[in-house]
Amino acid sequence: MRARFDKNRDIKDMRIAVQLLQAGEAELFEKMHPQPKKFPHSPGGVAFERHHQPPDFVLDFWHPLEKAQYPKYFARREQRKKEYIEMWEKQHGKPKDEIGRAHV
């Protein structure tokens, strides 16, 4: 099949190219396994996207008592959020409100 593809790759007539493409797709479909193996975490598998990773901003809505259980983590997280905001403002400037004034 690959040799035929390489032999016909320089065909300029689109009618012939479409016929060759359809014939190749039909041959591929005929030679496919009737029950192709699908790995569990691959697209089409039974566990694909089963365990969703929540976005980071969800942690902002934790109750203070929940955050108190992990003080070092949340202290470092707040520090990194401030660093990220400073980097963003340095690169893009301060965001503006609806009227066009810069936030303070």
Side-chain angles (χ1 to χ4, degrees), residues 17-81:
V18 167
Q19 290 174 351
L20 290 170
L21 178 65
Q22 290 173 345
E25 288 176 345
E27 181 183 346
L28 181 64
F29 181 75
E30 290 172 4
K31 291 184 178 185
M32 271 180 35
H33 194 277
Q35 281 185 312
K37 182 161 178 104
K38 294 182 181 176
F39 295 97
H41 295 286
S42 299
V46 295
F48 180 63
E49 293 186 342
R50 180 176 290 177
H51 302 291
H52 177 69
Q53 183 70 24
D56 184 60
F57 71 86
V58 172
L59 296 174
D60 292 333
F61 297 104
W62 277 25
H63 191 273
L65 292 176
E66 294 174 313
K67 290 181 181 182
Q69 296 175 7
Y70 309 99
K72 290 180 184 177
Y73 173 79
F74 281 98
R76 186 180 322 127
R77 184 171 180 274
E78 290 300 320
Q79 177 188 1
R80 289 186 177 163
K81 279 174 41 179

